Every structure is written in C-alpha cells, then in structure tokens.
Amino acid sequence: MTTTARRGRRPGAPDTRAAILAAARERFAEAGFGATSIRAVAADAGVDPALVHHYFGSKRDLFVASLALPVDPRDVLAPVIAQGMDGAGERILGTLLAVWDDPDRRLPLLAVARSLLDPSGHRLFQDGFLAAVLVPVLTELGIDRVEHRAPLLASQVAGLILMRYVLEVEPLASMPADDVVSVMGPTIQLYLTGPLP
Amino acid sequence: MTTTARRGRRPGAPDTRAAILAAARERFAEAGFGATSIRAVAADAGVDPALVHHYFGSKRDLFVASLALPVDPRDVLAPVIAQGMDGAGERILGTLLAVWDDPDRRLPLLAVARSLLDPSGHRLFQDGFLAAVLVPVLTELGIDRVEHRAPLLASQVAGLILMRYVLEVEPLASMPADDVVSVMGPTIQLYLTGPLP
C-alpha cells in the first residue's frame, strides 16, 4: 500500500498515466486549454510527449480525461448529433439528464462541477470545457455562430445542474426527466437555432 | 478602532444591529428561512425580540437584510410587477442586468452568489431566497404555480449570473444588456407563463 516517490522517465510504470493526468490538470487549470501544450504536460510529468499521445491521444482527449468525467460527453452526444438539428435541444437535455440522474455517475459529476465553480477552475470552464468539448459538439451539429450559442446553452444547462443536483431545489430536483425535457427543451433549442443579436 | 466584547442586552448600542444580523445569518443558514424565528435570533444576539422587529421589520425583511444585498430585490422588482405580465420576463431580466452591471454593486453581489453556492449556504437559497424573496415577487405578479415556476426562472437567472459575472465567459460577459434581454427574455417569459407538466 505504500509507494516510493520516484522521478524521471517511467514509460511503463503503472503510475505514469496518473502522473500525466495530474500534470495535465494543473497545466490546463493554470494556462487554459489553448495555451497548454502536450510537450509542457509531458515535461511536467517527466515523460516523453509521444507517451502522452500514446496513452491519451489528442490534446482534447487529454483534456477530457483530465476532467475525470464518468462519461465522455462527445461519445454520449454523438447519437444526438447523428439525428440532426430537429429536436436537438430536447435530445441534448434528455441525454444530460440520463447521465446526471444515474446515481453511479452523480458524485463524480458533482465533483467536476464543484471544481469548475472553484476560482482555480474558471479557466478550465471557459478555455477548456466550452472550447474543447461543447463548441466542437455544436460545430458537428452544423449550427452557426457556435461561439455565441455555446455560452447561452451552457447558462441554461449549468443553471439546471445547479438547481436540480447541487442545491436540490424542489420541485425541480424530483421532477421526472421527461418533464424537465418538456419544460426546458424549447429553451435549449432556441439557443441552438433561434435569432441572435 | 478597538471594540470591547460585550454581552447581554444592548438596545441602544451601535453594534446591536450587527449582532442581530450576524445571529440571523447563522440561524438562517443552519435552519433555513421557515424554521428560523425572530425569537431565536433575538436570543442568539442577546436582545429582545421587539428590538429585532423595531430594527428590521418582518422576518422576511430580516432575511433580506442578512443577505447583505446591495439592493432589496423586492424594491427593484416592484415597478416590474406594477406593469403586469406582458413582457415581464424581459423587464425582470433587464432589471437584474442593470443591478449586476453596476460596478459598485458587482462585488457585493458576487459575494452573496458565492455564499449561496457554498455548501453552508444551500439552505439559504432553497428555503430562503426562493421562498422569501422570489416566490412572493412572482405571487404579486399574479402568476399561477409559483413554486414550480420559481426554480425554473432561478435556473436560467443563476446560469446567466454564473456565465456572465462569475466565470466571465465571452461573448456573454461583454454582451450589451439589451442583447442579453432580447436573447434570454423569452426564456424567462416562457417559465413565467408557459405550460408546465
């Protein structure tokens, strides 16, 4: 159960992945997604950049992995995207609720939400979650002006998560997912496809 | 600049107000709005309940004072209510943005937002801000099923505050208030007057 602190390259060591993830989390939080390089993360973790790519793929994959989400939002949203824009708001919301309503995923998701709300995590949201996760998903949906629409969509989704899961405000906290979708789906659809100033 | 710690009744003492507010803040945060009595707050502060009423009025007034908001939301929303339901969503949002966009009020409001987001403040939101501030305002507007509509409205408003003022996500953070109203006003109006499950 005890581990010895080790330094330097450990390409095959079982804790290399963990070291890379820890270095990535720190870099992304400090510098944001855009200004963080795989090379810098690799240097911080004391490994070769090729190993980072080998374990995690692209920088975006590494970012998603560093968030320690219980699901990859891109995988979950792929079927939503495949069905096109019609009713996409309702489908995005339904998918989100299915993930959050799963008791096994709730606690890890709450931990991510709290880390993004913490002042140290603000960059991770703005120049990370939005830029590296939400904007690409919306772009794949083929919608226009994604940079304007992503924060609007995020505002309603974040507010819902805050009320339903963090503050557990009734009756929203106990409302069946289908009812939440019927009430808030039109809002998400409006932000995806409605007029912008 | 130094003060001496004093105990017991100090009806005329200049720090009596502060002692009452501190006791109120603690009680409301621990027990919520409903289960907190003026009597208990008075006992905690070491004063007569009549003095609490004298200084702060009703329990709801005491609660709003204990939030240390730079404005009383009920005063600010009174003109919105007076103009009736038509366009109320846009007017509520416009009023909220005018208050938050004022640089003198921004920091105190952010402090309140952070205190409500802190786990110790969760009750203050649910069984406090919603029950004692938002629900009465919506009731005065004459809308139906206020207990269902208040959390929906709060979800979009809280998400907007989070994105625009806490995380400062662009382009939402720098968007002119009128543009935010035109984009999100229909959402607020929908939650105030639209169909519910």
Side-chain angles (χ1 to χ4, degrees), chain B residues 77 81 85 92 130 133-154 188 191-192:
Chain B
L77 289 171
I81 294 165
M85 276 314 295
I92 287 176
L130 277 194
V133 179
L134 191 57
V135 164
V137 165
L138 299 185
T139 302
E140 277 191 73
L141 266 168
I143 70 171
D144 66 337
R145 298 179 70 189
V146 281
E147 282 77 11
H148 283 75
R149 298 187 186 278
L152 297 175
L153 187 142
I188 306 294
Y191 295 159
L192 289 177

PDB file of all heavy atoms in Angstrom, chain B residues 77 81 85 92 130 133-154 188 191-192:
ATOM      1  N   LEU B  77     -37.850  45.103  -8.010  1.00  0.00           N
ATOM      2  CA  LEU B  77     -38.802  44.412  -8.876  1.00  0.00           C
ATOM      3  C   LEU B  77     -40.215  44.986  -8.791  1.00  0.00           C
ATOM      4  O   LEU B  77     -41.074  44.634  -9.599  1.00  0.00           O
ATOM      5  CB  LEU B  77     -38.808  42.911  -8.562  1.00  0.00           C
ATOM      6  CG  LEU B  77     -37.538  42.175  -9.010  1.00  0.00           C
ATOM      7  CD1 LEU B  77     -37.515  40.757  -8.470  1.00  0.00           C
ATOM      8  CD2 LEU B  77     -37.437  42.135 -10.545  1.00  0.00           C
ATOM      9  N   ILE B  81     -43.350  44.491 -11.491  1.00  0.00           N
ATOM     10  CA  ILE B  81     -44.622  43.867 -11.154  1.00  0.00           C
ATOM     11  C   ILE B  81     -45.785  44.786 -11.530  1.00  0.00           C
ATOM     12  O   ILE B  81     -46.785  44.356 -12.091  1.00  0.00           O
ATOM     13  CB  ILE B  81     -44.664  43.551  -9.640  1.00  0.00           C
ATOM     14  CG1 ILE B  81     -43.623  42.472  -9.322  1.00  0.00           C
ATOM     15  CG2 ILE B  81     -46.052  43.103  -9.207  1.00  0.00           C
ATOM     16  CD1 ILE B  81     -43.308  42.340  -7.850  1.00  0.00           C
ATOM     17  N   MET B  85     -48.028  41.254 -16.500  1.00  0.00           N
ATOM     18  CA  MET B  85     -47.344  40.073 -17.021  1.00  0.00           C
ATOM     19  C   MET B  85     -46.748  40.260 -18.411  1.00  0.00           C
ATOM     20  O   MET B  85     -45.789  39.608 -18.770  1.00  0.00           O
ATOM     21  CB  MET B  85     -48.333  38.898 -17.084  1.00  0.00           C
ATOM     22  CG  MET B  85     -48.487  38.149 -15.794  1.00  0.00           C
ATOM     23  SD  MET B  85     -46.890  37.785 -15.030  1.00  0.00           S
ATOM     24  CE  MET B  85     -46.187  36.673 -16.246  1.00  0.00           C
ATOM     25  N   ILE B  92     -37.879  41.754 -15.996  1.00  0.00           N
ATOM     26  CA  ILE B  92     -37.156  41.152 -14.866  1.00  0.00           C
ATOM     27  C   ILE B  92     -35.675  41.027 -15.218  1.00  0.00           C
ATOM     28  O   ILE B  92     -34.788  41.386 -14.440  1.00  0.00           O
ATOM     29  CB  ILE B  92     -37.749  39.772 -14.507  1.00  0.00           C
ATOM     30  CG1 ILE B  92     -39.108  39.952 -13.811  1.00  0.00           C
ATOM     31  CG2 ILE B  92     -36.794  38.955 -13.636  1.00  0.00           C
ATOM     32  CD1 ILE B  92     -39.829  38.642 -13.502  1.00  0.00           C
ATOM     33  N   LEU B 130     -35.436  31.744  -2.464  1.00  0.00           N
ATOM     34  CA  LEU B 130     -36.596  31.372  -3.279  1.00  0.00           C
ATOM     35  C   LEU B 130     -37.895  31.606  -2.521  1.00  0.00           C
ATOM     36  O   LEU B 130     -38.801  32.274  -3.010  1.00  0.00           O
ATOM     37  CB  LEU B 130     -36.515  29.903  -3.699  1.00  0.00           C
ATOM     38  CG  LEU B 130     -35.673  29.564  -4.924  1.00  0.00           C
ATOM     39  CD1 LEU B 130     -35.992  28.150  -5.386  1.00  0.00           C
ATOM     40  CD2 LEU B 130     -35.920  30.536  -6.065  1.00  0.00           C
ATOM     41  N   VAL B 133     -38.055  35.557  -1.092  1.00  0.00           N
ATOM     42  CA  VAL B 133     -37.872  36.696  -1.995  1.00  0.00           C
ATOM     43  C   VAL B 133     -38.547  36.455  -3.346  1.00  0.00           C
ATOM     44  O   VAL B 133     -39.434  37.197  -3.752  1.00  0.00           O
ATOM     45  CB  VAL B 133     -36.370  37.010  -2.203  1.00  0.00           C
ATOM     46  CG1 VAL B 133     -36.190  38.185  -3.155  1.00  0.00           C
ATOM     47  CG2 VAL B 133     -35.704  37.311  -0.856  1.00  0.00           C
ATOM     48  N   LEU B 134     -38.134  35.377  -4.051  1.00  0.00           N
ATOM     49  CA  LEU B 134     -38.614  35.204  -5.420  1.00  0.00           C
ATOM     50  C   LEU B 134     -40.089  34.808  -5.486  1.00  0.00           C
ATOM     51  O   LEU B 134     -40.862  35.387  -6.260  1.00  0.00           O
ATOM     52  CB  LEU B 134     -37.744  34.172  -6.155  1.00  0.00           C
ATOM     53  CG  LEU B 134     -37.971  34.101  -7.664  1.00  0.00           C
ATOM     54  CD1 LEU B 134     -37.749  35.451  -8.331  1.00  0.00           C
ATOM     55  CD2 LEU B 134     -37.069  33.044  -8.291  1.00  0.00           C
ATOM     56  N   VAL B 135     -40.490  33.821  -4.669  1.00  0.00           N
ATOM     57  CA  VAL B 135     -41.878  33.355  -4.711  1.00  0.00           C
ATOM     58  C   VAL B 135     -42.865  34.488  -4.383  1.00  0.00           C
ATOM     59  O   VAL B 135     -43.856  34.663  -5.106  1.00  0.00           O
ATOM     60  CB  VAL B 135     -42.079  32.112  -3.809  1.00  0.00           C
ATOM     61  CG1 VAL B 135     -43.561  31.865  -3.535  1.00  0.00           C
ATOM     62  CG2 VAL B 135     -41.451  30.880  -4.468  1.00  0.00           C
ATOM     63  N   PRO B 136     -42.629  35.318  -3.343  1.00  0.00           N
ATOM     64  CA  PRO B 136     -43.555  36.430  -3.098  1.00  0.00           C
ATOM     65  C   PRO B 136     -43.641  37.414  -4.260  1.00  0.00           C
ATOM     66  O   PRO B 136     -44.723  37.908  -4.574  1.00  0.00           O
ATOM     67  CB  PRO B 136     -42.972  37.100  -1.849  1.00  0.00           C
ATOM     68  CG  PRO B 136     -42.175  36.047  -1.173  1.00  0.00           C
ATOM     69  CD  PRO B 136     -41.632  35.184  -2.258  1.00  0.00           C
ATOM     70  N   VAL B 137     -42.487  37.693  -4.911  1.00  0.00           N
ATOM     71  CA  VAL B 137     -42.498  38.609  -6.058  1.00  0.00           C
ATOM     72  C   VAL B 137     -43.352  38.024  -7.182  1.00  0.00           C
ATOM     73  O   VAL B 137     -44.189  38.704  -7.776  1.00  0.00           O
ATOM     74  CB  VAL B 137     -41.056  38.882  -6.553  1.00  0.00           C
ATOM     75  CG1 VAL B 137     -41.074  39.526  -7.931  1.00  0.00           C
ATOM     76  CG2 VAL B 137     -40.315  39.775  -5.565  1.00  0.00           C
ATOM     77  N   LEU B 138     -43.160  36.736  -7.471  1.00  0.00           N
ATOM     78  CA  LEU B 138     -43.930  36.097  -8.542  1.00  0.00           C
ATOM     79  C   LEU B 138     -45.410  36.012  -8.175  1.00  0.00           C
ATOM     80  O   LEU B 138     -46.281  36.140  -9.039  1.00  0.00           O
ATOM     81  CB  LEU B 138     -43.374  34.700  -8.839  1.00  0.00           C
ATOM     82  CG  LEU B 138     -41.917  34.653  -9.312  1.00  0.00           C
ATOM     83  CD1 LEU B 138     -41.532  33.229  -9.685  1.00  0.00           C
ATOM     84  CD2 LEU B 138     -41.680  35.590 -10.489  1.00  0.00           C
ATOM     85  N   THR B 139     -45.692  35.813  -6.892  1.00  0.00           N
ATOM     86  CA  THR B 139     -47.085  35.775  -6.445  1.00  0.00           C
ATOM     87  C   THR B 139     -47.758  37.127  -6.671  1.00  0.00           C
ATOM     88  O   THR B 139     -48.897  37.197  -7.131  1.00  0.00           O
ATOM     89  CB  THR B 139     -47.149  35.388  -4.951  1.00  0.00           C
ATOM     90  OG1 THR B 139     -46.501  34.114  -4.792  1.00  0.00           O
ATOM     91  CG2 THR B 139     -48.592  35.272  -4.475  1.00  0.00           C
ATOM     92  N   GLU B 140     -47.017  38.219  -6.377  1.00  0.00           N
ATOM     93  CA  GLU B 140     -47.555  39.554  -6.605  1.00  0.00           C
ATOM     94  C   GLU B 140     -47.822  39.807  -8.086  1.00  0.00           C
ATOM     95  O   GLU B 140     -48.681  40.601  -8.444  1.00  0.00           O
ATOM     96  CB  GLU B 140     -46.593  40.621  -6.083  1.00  0.00           C
ATOM     97  CG  GLU B 140     -46.729  40.879  -4.593  1.00  0.00           C
ATOM     98  CD  GLU B 140     -45.956  42.119  -4.185  1.00  0.00           C
ATOM     99  OE1 GLU B 140     -46.410  43.228  -4.500  1.00  0.00           O
ATOM    100  OE2 GLU B 140     -44.885  41.958  -3.580  1.00  0.00           O
ATOM    101  N   LEU B 141     -47.037  39.148  -8.944  1.00  0.00           N
ATOM    102  CA  LEU B 141     -47.271  39.261 -10.380  1.00  0.00           C
ATOM    103  C   LEU B 141     -48.568  38.557 -10.783  1.00  0.00           C
ATOM    104  O   LEU B 141     -49.035  38.695 -11.914  1.00  0.00           O
ATOM    105  CB  LEU B 141     -46.103  38.643 -11.162  1.00  0.00           C
ATOM    106  CG  LEU B 141     -44.985  39.583 -11.596  1.00  0.00           C
ATOM    107  CD1 LEU B 141     -43.782  38.792 -12.083  1.00  0.00           C
ATOM    108  CD2 LEU B 141     -45.458  40.525 -12.700  1.00  0.00           C
ATOM    109  N   GLY B 142     -49.106  37.758  -9.855  1.00  0.00           N
ATOM    110  CA  GLY B 142     -50.373  37.082 -10.118  1.00  0.00           C
ATOM    111  C   GLY B 142     -50.238  35.830 -10.961  1.00  0.00           C
ATOM    112  O   GLY B 142     -51.200  35.374 -11.565  1.00  0.00           O
ATOM    113  N   ILE B 143     -49.027  35.251 -11.033  1.00  0.00           N
ATOM    114  CA  ILE B 143     -48.876  34.060 -11.863  1.00  0.00           C
ATOM    115  C   ILE B 143     -49.235  32.809 -11.069  1.00  0.00           C
ATOM    116  O   ILE B 143     -49.209  32.799  -9.836  1.00  0.00           O
ATOM    117  CB  ILE B 143     -47.449  33.922 -12.453  1.00  0.00           C
ATOM    118  CG1 ILE B 143     -46.425  33.594 -11.373  1.00  0.00           C
ATOM    119  CG2 ILE B 143     -47.056  35.180 -13.209  1.00  0.00           C
ATOM    120  CD1 ILE B 143     -45.095  33.249 -11.963  1.00  0.00           C
ATOM    121  N   ASP B 144     -49.590  31.752 -11.807  1.00  0.00           N
ATOM    122  CA  ASP B 144     -50.014  30.503 -11.177  1.00  0.00           C
ATOM    123  C   ASP B 144     -48.804  29.606 -10.885  1.00  0.00           C
ATOM    124  O   ASP B 144     -47.724  29.794 -11.436  1.00  0.00           O
ATOM    125  CB  ASP B 144     -51.002  29.759 -12.090  1.00  0.00           C
ATOM    126  CG  ASP B 144     -50.321  29.297 -13.377  1.00  0.00           C
ATOM    127  OD1 ASP B 144     -49.290  29.900 -13.761  1.00  0.00           O
ATOM    128  OD2 ASP B 144     -50.804  28.342 -14.001  1.00  0.00           O
ATOM    129  N   ARG B 145     -48.985  28.648 -10.003  1.00  0.00           N
ATOM    130  CA  ARG B 145     -47.996  27.613  -9.692  1.00  0.00           C
ATOM    131  C   ARG B 145     -46.585  28.192  -9.491  1.00  0.00           C
ATOM    132  O   ARG B 145     -45.601  27.719 -10.078  1.00  0.00           O
ATOM    133  CB  ARG B 145     -47.998  26.544 -10.787  1.00  0.00           C
ATOM    134  CG  ARG B 145     -49.373  25.852 -10.876  1.00  0.00           C
ATOM    135  CD  ARG B 145     -49.404  24.805 -11.959  1.00  0.00           C
ATOM    136  NE  ARG B 145     -48.583  23.645 -11.619  1.00  0.00           N
ATOM    137  CZ  ARG B 145     -48.302  22.671 -12.469  1.00  0.00           C
ATOM    138  NH1 ARG B 145     -48.755  22.725 -13.703  1.00  0.00           N
ATOM    139  NH2 ARG B 145     -47.556  21.658 -12.092  1.00  0.00           N
ATOM    140  N   VAL B 146     -46.507  29.214  -8.650  1.00  0.00           N
ATOM    141  CA  VAL B 146     -45.236  29.906  -8.436  1.00  0.00           C
ATOM    142  C   VAL B 146     -44.146  28.974  -7.912  1.00  0.00           C
ATOM    143  O   VAL B 146     -42.979  29.127  -8.263  1.00  0.00           O
ATOM    144  CB  VAL B 146     -45.383  31.107  -7.469  1.00  0.00           C
ATOM    145  CG1 VAL B 146     -45.968  32.294  -8.191  1.00  0.00           C
ATOM    146  CG2 VAL B 146     -46.221  30.751  -6.274  1.00  0.00           C
ATOM    147  N   GLU B 147     -44.517  27.991  -7.089  1.00  0.00           N
ATOM    148  CA  GLU B 147     -43.497  27.094  -6.526  1.00  0.00           C
ATOM    149  C   GLU B 147     -42.822  26.280  -7.634  1.00  0.00           C
ATOM    150  O   GLU B 147     -41.668  25.891  -7.497  1.00  0.00           O
ATOM    151  CB  GLU B 147     -44.092  26.150  -5.475  1.00  0.00           C
ATOM    152  CG  GLU B 147     -44.324  26.801  -4.119  1.00  0.00           C
ATOM    153  CD  GLU B 147     -45.558  27.700  -4.074  1.00  0.00           C
ATOM    154  OE1 GLU B 147     -46.361  27.658  -5.054  1.00  0.00           O
ATOM    155  OE2 GLU B 147     -45.714  28.461  -3.110  1.00  0.00           O
ATOM    156  N   HIS B 148     -43.573  25.982  -8.723  1.00  0.00           N
ATOM    157  CA  HIS B 148     -42.965  25.275  -9.845  1.00  0.00           C
ATOM    158  C   HIS B 148     -42.160  26.223 -10.734  1.00  0.00           C
ATOM    159  O   HIS B 148     -41.124  25.843 -11.280  1.00  0.00           O
ATOM    160  CB  HIS B 148     -44.045  24.592 -10.700  1.00  0.00           C
ATOM    161  CG  HIS B 148     -44.562  23.338 -10.087  1.00  0.00           C
ATOM    162  ND1 HIS B 148     -45.432  23.342  -9.011  1.00  0.00           N
ATOM    163  CD2 HIS B 148     -44.323  22.023 -10.375  1.00  0.00           C
ATOM    164  CE1 HIS B 148     -45.712  22.089  -8.684  1.00  0.00           C
ATOM    165  NE2 HIS B 148     -45.055  21.270  -9.490  1.00  0.00           N
ATOM    166  N   ARG B 149     -42.668  27.439 -10.891  1.00  0.00           N
ATOM    167  CA  ARG B 149     -42.028  28.366 -11.839  1.00  0.00           C
ATOM    168  C   ARG B 149     -40.771  29.015 -11.261  1.00  0.00           C
ATOM    169  O   ARG B 149     -39.825  29.292 -12.006  1.00  0.00           O
ATOM    170  CB  ARG B 149     -43.031  29.445 -12.259  1.00  0.00           C
ATOM    171  CG  ARG B 149     -44.252  28.864 -12.980  1.00  0.00           C
ATOM    172  CD  ARG B 149     -45.147  29.967 -13.530  1.00  0.00           C
ATOM    173  NE  ARG B 149     -46.381  29.410 -14.103  1.00  0.00           N
ATOM    174  CZ  ARG B 149     -46.458  28.899 -15.330  1.00  0.00           C
ATOM    175  NH1 ARG B 149     -45.386  28.872 -16.096  1.00  0.00           N
ATOM    176  NH2 ARG B 149     -47.593  28.415 -15.793  1.00  0.00           N
ATOM    177  N   ALA B 150     -40.742  29.260  -9.955  1.00  0.00           N
ATOM    178  CA  ALA B 150     -39.601  29.960  -9.349  1.00  0.00           C
ATOM    179  C   ALA B 150     -38.272  29.230  -9.598  1.00  0.00           C
ATOM    180  O   ALA B 150     -37.287  29.870  -9.996  1.00  0.00           O
ATOM    181  CB  ALA B 150     -39.840  30.180  -7.854  1.00  0.00           C
ATOM    182  N   PRO B 151     -38.202  27.893  -9.393  1.00  0.00           N
ATOM    183  CA  PRO B 151     -36.912  27.224  -9.653  1.00  0.00           C
ATOM    184  C   PRO B 151     -36.515  27.234 -11.126  1.00  0.00           C
ATOM    185  O   PRO B 151     -35.323  27.257 -11.441  1.00  0.00           O
ATOM    186  CB  PRO B 151     -37.150  25.783  -9.176  1.00  0.00           C
ATOM    187  CG  PRO B 151     -38.322  25.861  -8.258  1.00  0.00           C
ATOM    188  CD  PRO B 151     -39.178  26.964  -8.790  1.00  0.00           C
ATOM    189  N   LEU B 152     -37.515  27.217 -12.042  1.00  0.00           N
ATOM    190  CA  LEU B 152     -37.189  27.277 -13.472  1.00  0.00           C
ATOM    191  C   LEU B 152     -36.559  28.635 -13.798  1.00  0.00           C
ATOM    192  O   LEU B 152     -35.500  28.712 -14.431  1.00  0.00           O
ATOM    193  CB  LEU B 152     -38.453  27.083 -14.315  1.00  0.00           C
ATOM    194  CG  LEU B 152     -39.171  25.733 -14.174  1.00  0.00           C
ATOM    195  CD1 LEU B 152     -40.473  25.739 -14.978  1.00  0.00           C
ATOM    196  CD2 LEU B 152     -38.260  24.605 -14.642  1.00  0.00           C
ATOM    197  N   LEU B 153     -37.220  29.689 -13.346  1.00  0.00           N
ATOM    198  CA  LEU B 153     -36.701  31.035 -13.555  1.00  0.00           C
ATOM    199  C   LEU B 153     -35.318  31.176 -12.911  1.00  0.00           C
ATOM    200  O   LEU B 153     -34.376  31.700 -13.513  1.00  0.00           O
ATOM    201  CB  LEU B 153     -37.696  32.025 -12.957  1.00  0.00           C
ATOM    202  CG  LEU B 153     -37.458  33.495 -13.202  1.00  0.00           C
ATOM    203  CD1 LEU B 153     -38.778  34.207 -13.433  1.00  0.00           C
ATOM    204  CD2 LEU B 153     -36.736  34.126 -12.030  1.00  0.00           C
ATOM    205  N   ALA B 154     -35.202  30.663 -11.679  1.00  0.00           N
ATOM    206  CA  ALA B 154     -33.914  30.763 -10.968  1.00  0.00           C
ATOM    207  C   ALA B 154     -32.817  30.024 -11.719  1.00  0.00           C
ATOM    208  O   ALA B 154     -31.660  30.447 -11.700  1.00  0.00           O
ATOM    209  CB  ALA B 154     -34.052  30.220  -9.544  1.00  0.00           C
ATOM    210  N   ILE B 188     -37.288  33.551 -19.885  1.00  0.00           N
ATOM    211  CA  ILE B 188     -37.872  33.925 -18.591  1.00  0.00           C
ATOM    212  C   ILE B 188     -39.392  34.025 -18.727  1.00  0.00           C
ATOM    213  O   ILE B 188     -40.136  33.535 -17.871  1.00  0.00           O
ATOM    214  CB  ILE B 188     -37.277  35.269 -18.095  1.00  0.00           C
ATOM    215  CG1 ILE B 188     -35.740  35.210 -18.058  1.00  0.00           C
ATOM    216  CG2 ILE B 188     -37.833  35.624 -16.721  1.00  0.00           C
ATOM    217  CD1 ILE B 188     -35.159  34.267 -17.066  1.00  0.00           C
ATOM    218  N   TYR B 191     -40.944  30.603 -18.761  1.00  0.00           N
ATOM    219  CA  TYR B 191     -41.019  29.950 -17.452  1.00  0.00           C
ATOM    220  C   TYR B 191     -42.074  30.604 -16.563  1.00  0.00           C
ATOM    221  O   TYR B 191     -42.629  29.965 -15.683  1.00  0.00           O
ATOM    222  CB  TYR B 191     -39.651  29.964 -16.764  1.00  0.00           C
ATOM    223  CG  TYR B 191     -38.613  29.132 -17.496  1.00  0.00           C
ATOM    224  CD1 TYR B 191     -37.250  29.337 -17.306  1.00  0.00           C
ATOM    225  CD2 TYR B 191     -38.991  28.134 -18.392  1.00  0.00           C
ATOM    226  CE1 TYR B 191     -36.301  28.591 -17.978  1.00  0.00           C
ATOM    227  CE2 TYR B 191     -38.044  27.385 -19.080  1.00  0.00           C
ATOM    228  CZ  TYR B 191     -36.706  27.621 -18.872  1.00  0.00           C
ATOM    229  OH  TYR B 191     -35.770  26.873 -19.535  1.00  0.00           O
ATOM    230  N   LEU B 192     -42.352  31.898 -16.807  1.00  0.00           N
ATOM    231  CA  LEU B 192     -43.372  32.596 -16.017  1.00  0.00           C
ATOM    232  C   LEU B 192     -44.784  32.240 -16.459  1.00  0.00           C
ATOM    233  O   LEU B 192     -45.704  32.186 -15.639  1.00  0.00           O
ATOM    234  CB  LEU B 192     -43.196  34.119 -16.138  1.00  0.00           C
ATOM    235  CG  LEU B 192     -41.988  34.761 -15.459  1.00  0.00           C
ATOM    236  CD1 LEU B 192     -41.956  36.252 -15.754  1.00  0.00           C
ATOM    237  CD2 LEU B 192     -42.037  34.527 -13.946  1.00  0.00           C
TER     238      LEU B 192
END
